[in-house]
Amino acid sequence: MGQHTWFVKDKDLFLRQREIYAKLDANDPFMDKFEIRKLKNECDKIEKEIDATDEFHDLFRTWKRDQYDGTYTDDFIASKEECFRWLEDNKDVVGYKHVFDDTPEREEELRLYAINRLNEFWEKYPNGVIYFG
């Protein structure tokens, strides 16, 4: 059924969190356990602050892949305009079904519902982000 869509409230904090994860993933041999713990705690704090999962989640899914290595896309969407352009540009790899055997009519109902909810998300969190995973 594709990758989940995750919604966060603040792009700047989202990017800070990604920066921290990249630093942790680098496995710097000179980083001590205290600094690692401090960075992980900062990520946890950011996650609690920006998470919008209770309000918005999986309004659509994608099975878009990275063109070079075939892994899941690491795209993220950071504005309302970008969101609807991304959906249009990727319509062949986006779905709105909730279950595998949803009818085309049901999927169209879910698409219209998703568009409405996406508008609500961007109105409420204009500096938000949608990412996939």
Side-chain angles (χ1 to χ4, degrees), residues 60-64 75 77 82-97 107-108 111 115 132:
F60 61 93
R61 292 193 180 182
T62 184
W63 44 95
K64 182 178 180 181
D75 288 356
I77 300 168
E82 184 182 341
C83 177
F84 289 106
R85 186 175 54 251
W86 191 96
L87 288 170
E88 178 61 29
D89 291 349
N90 294 284
K91 62 185 171 195
D92 57 330
V93 290
V94 170
Y96 301 90
K97 291 182 177 184
E107 186 170 16
E108 179 60 13
R111 185 185 74 79
I115 289 170
F132 307 98

Side-chain angles (χ1 to χ4, degrees), residues 5 9 12 17 28 33 46-48 61 65 75 78 107 115 129-131:
T5 49
K9 300 172 184 177
D12 298 327
Q17 187 181 46
D28 183 343
K33 289 181 183 184
I46 290 171
E47 184 67 30
K48 289 176 185 170
R61 292 193 180 182
R65 299 291 184 145
D75 288 356
E107 186 170 16
I115 289 170
V129 169
I130 301 170
Y131 70 96

